[in-house]
Structures are given as structure tokens and as C-alpha cells.
Amino acid sequence: MSQNQTMYVSERSVPQGRLALWVLIAGELAIFGGLIAVYLMSRLRYPEEWSAQAAHTSTFFGALNTIVLLFSSYAIVRAHTAAVHKQLNKITLWMSVTIGCGFLFLINKSIEYTNEIHHGFTMSSPKLQDAGNAVGSVFWSYYYTMTGLHGLHVIIGMISIFIVMMGARKGKNLHRVELVGLYWHMVDLIWIFLFPLLYIAK
């Protein structure tokens, strides 16, 4: 292969880090896509029971967390823009804001969980089962599985952003700001699907 051909192939190649991340994102979306598909099938089969349980979720906290995550996406975009221009202080600022939004999301979710568990809505919801409402308890199994798995991804994203930020503040591996940003956008996108399914469609 000539030198020109080698340069041409190199220019058209996708960076390995970005390619690996897209593969990871595709896998994550397949997992959540499967969960959402099964959830929708159950909802269509038991519309009244599902609606009765969904009425106990907090639309306020769901909407608040949606706003928090949308703003965090804006913050990580600003961090990426700062990385492109090698503005190290702004990278640290906007990535810190993104992590802060992640903490706020988790705090709100913890308050929600506390209230729901206090009213007897858990993964197995024994009160509902004792009352003969096994279908209602299944709703909460879906709810905690999907929101809990999403919350785990939020934590992973926050840790990843923090690690990348520690290097970026010293001017190291600035390209990784884009990679963690893509991951964070995926976390936000998943929530955009979960919010109407679990909080609005009652």
C-alpha cells in the first residue's frame, strides 16, 4: 500500500475509542429497549391495573429530574466545546456542573424511592399481593428495575466524567471529554423514554 493510500485510510478511520463507545451504547440501548418493549406489552395487556399503579408515581419529581438531566446534557456539551478550544478552566467548570446535576438527580430519586417504599410500593409489593393484586406488584417490579438500572448508569457516568475531568484539567486526553459526553447523552436519552412511560401515561 502506497503512502498516499495509507494516509487516506487513516483519515477515514473511526477513532477506536469512539467506535468502542458506540458499540457500548448500542448494547445499552438494546438492553433498555428490551425492557421497555416488555413493559409496553404488559401495559397493553393490563391497562387498568397499570394505570392505577402509575398514578402513585410522582410526576413532579419525574419532570424535575427530566429538567435536571436536560440541563446536564447542555453542561457536558459546553464542556466539549471548551475541550475543543482547550479552555481547561471551563472544562472543569462544566463537567463539575454535569456531575452536580447527576447528584441532584440521585437525591430526587432517593426522595421518590423513600416515599414509595413508605407507602408499601417495593419490588415485590407484599401489600398488593396480599390484596390479590399481583399484576399491580409487577408494575413496581418493572419500575424499580428500569429506574434502578438507569440510576446505576447515572452513577457510572458521573464517575467516568470525574475521572476524565481530573486529566482534562491538566490538559491530558481532552478527546475523552467527547466520549464521556456521548455516554451521558445516552443516559439522558434513556430517561426521556422512561419519564412518559412511568410518570405521564397514567
Side-chain angles (χ1 to χ4, degrees), residues 37-47 50 135 138 142:
V38 175
Y39 172 88
L40 287 173
M41 290 174 64
S42 298
R43 184 180 184 89
L44 291 174
R45 186 173 182 180
Y46 308 105
W50 233 243
V135 175
V138 174
Y142 277 115

Side-chain angles (χ1 to χ4, degrees), residues 1-45:
M1 182 179 292
S2 68
Q3 183 177 0
N4 288 340
Q5 287 176 316
T6 303
M7 291 177 62
Y8 176 75
V9 171
S10 176
E11 288 172 357
R12 291 183 59 86
S13 297
V14 179
Q16 289 185 348
R18 190 182 300 169
L19 179 61
L21 187 68
W22 279 117
V23 171
L24 172 67
I25 289 175
E28 299 286 358
L29 291 178
I31 292 172
F32 277 98
L35 275 172
I36 290 173
V38 175
Y39 172 88
L40 287 173
M41 290 174 64
S42 298
R43 184 180 184 89
L44 291 174
R45 186 173 182 180

Side-chain angles (χ1 to χ4, degrees), residues 153-169:
H153 282 72
V154 170
I155 294 172
I156 293 172
M158 291 167 61
I159 294 172
S160 301
I161 290 171
F162 178 77
I163 292 172
V164 171
M165 184 179 72
M166 288 297 100
R169 64 188 299 191

Side-chain angles (χ1 to χ4, degrees), residues 83-138:
V84 170
H85 295 91
K86 298 183 179 179
Q87 298 169 324
L88 304 186
N89 289 336
K90 288 187 176 180
I91 295 173
T92 304
L93 170 65
W94 287 110
M95 293 187 92
S96 297
V97 170
T98 305
I99 294 172
C101 288
F103 273 116
L104 183 57
F105 176 91
L106 293 175
I107 290 170
N108 290 336
K109 201 68 206 149
S110 298
I111 295 172
E112 266 193 273
Y113 279 168
T114 301
N115 290 333
E116 287 153 357
I117 292 171
H118 177 73
H119 287 91
F121 302 123
T122 62
M123 278 286 287
S124 56
S125 299
K127 286 186 177 179
L128 290 175
Q129 294 197 36
D130 291 344
N133 190 359
V135 175
S137 70
V138 174

